[in-house]
Amino acid sequence: MTPETIEQAMLALAEADPDIARALPLVGAPSPRERDRGFATFFSTIVSQQISTEAARAIMGRVNTLLPELHAKAVMEVESQALRDAGLSWRKIEYAKGLAEAELAGTFSADGLEHLSDEEVITAITALRGFGRWSAEIYLMFSLKRPDVFPADDLALRVALGRLKGMDDKPTPKQARQLVEHWAPWRSVGSLFLWHYYRGEPL
C-alpha cells in the first residue's frame, strides 16, 4: 500500500465513518507497512511469537548465520539442536520443521498464496501448526498487500476501536468485525489507522 493509496482510502473511510472523520485531523494518516513474502517470513513469524522484537531480531541473526539460504530444504536438513542453540524453543523448532515439511510435501506453498482468495490464504496458513488467524491476516495485509483485512483478534486494534467509538470497554473480536463492516473495501487501511491512533491519540 503506497502513501497515495492510503490517502485515497482514508478519504473514503472518513466519508463512511464520522468517528474517523473526527480523529483523522488529530493524528493524521498512517504510514505504509510492508513485509517480505515467502517461506523466510513464515519462519521469522514463528521465531517472533511471544518474545520481544529485539529478542526475535537477535535469534534471526543467528539463524541467518546458521542458514544463509533460509528455505524449506535447509530447515529440514539442519540439526534441531543447532536451532535450539540459535535461540528457538523446542516448540518453535517443531513448528519450523512442520512448516518446512509442509512446503516440501506440497501441502503448503508460501509462494502460491498470492494466487488464492483472502479466505483461502487464511485456511492454508491456519492449517499449519503454530499459526492462528491473526498471523494469517497479518500476512495478508503486509506481505500480500490485500486491502480489505481486519485482524480482529489484535488487542491494540480493539482497544483503539473502543476509544475511537467512545465505548467504555474494548469490543470483542465479533463486535469489532461488525463495527468496521462499513469500512470495506478498505479495512486494511482502517486497521493501520487504528494502530496509528492507538499510539498517537491526543490526551
Side-chain angles (χ1 to χ4, degrees):
M1 283 175 278
T2 63
E4 293 74 27
T5 305
I6 288 174
E7 195 176 326
Q8 175 197 345
M10 287 310 306
L11 289 173
L13 288 165
E15 204 170 300
D17 192 313
D19 292 312
I20 289 184
R22 172 184 52 78
L24 181 56
L26 300 176
V27 297
S31 302
R33 280 204 225 170
E34 289 184 11
R35 285 165 75 199
D36 291 337
R37 56 180 68 182
F39 179 87
T41 294
F42 284 99
F43 187 97
S44 66
T45 298
I46 292 169
V47 168
S48 63
Q49 286 169 356
Q50 297 176 319
I51 60 173
S52 70
T53 307
E54 293 75 20
R57 197 175 290 129
I59 292 169
M60 281 308 298
R62 291 193 290 270
V63 168
N64 289 325
T65 302
L66 180 67
L67 300 172
E69 298 280 320
L70 187 49
H71 50 69
K73 191 165 183 289
V75 171
M76 284 308 290
E77 287 173 353
V78 73
E79 290 290 334
S80 294
Q81 185 60 53
L83 292 173
R84 183 73 190 94
D85 293 342
L88 276 77
S89 67
W90 290 115
R91 175 63 57 85
K92 288 183 180 181
I93 292 165
E94 190 184 316
Y95 292 161
K97 294 276 189 182
L99 167 68
E101 203 173 329
E103 183 80 37
L104 290 171
T107 53
F108 177 77
S109 168
D111 292 338
L113 293 174
E114 62 191 276
H115 306 296
L116 304 178
S117 70
D118 291 358
E119 279 306 318
E120 286 170 337
V121 169
I122 290 169
T123 300
I125 294 174
T126 55
L128 296 166
R129 287 200 65 202
F131 289 87
R133 186 180 178 94
W134 181 85
S135 298
E137 288 171 331
I138 293 297
Y139 191 83
L140 275 171
M141 287 175 69
F142 298 135
S143 296
L144 297 181
K145 304 180 183 64
R146 300 291 172 88
D148 197 30
V149 180
F150 185 80
D153 294 317
D154 189 281
L155 182 61
L157 268 196
R158 287 187 284 121
V159 169
L161 183 60
R163 284 183 196 161
L164 183 74
K165 294 294 177 185
M167 299 169 72
D168 292 334
D169 198 7
K170 64 183 179 296
T172 65
K174 185 180 178 184
Q175 287 170 332
R177 286 193 182 93
Q178 290 166 345
L179 284 167
V180 303
E181 271 179 8
H182 63 296
W183 292 4
W186 294 114
R187 281 174 284 194
S188 295
V189 178
S191 301
L192 273 183
F193 179 73
L194 284 178
W195 279 311
H196 179 56
Y197 180 74
Y198 179 80
R199 288 192 303 272
E201 181 193 16
L203 296 171

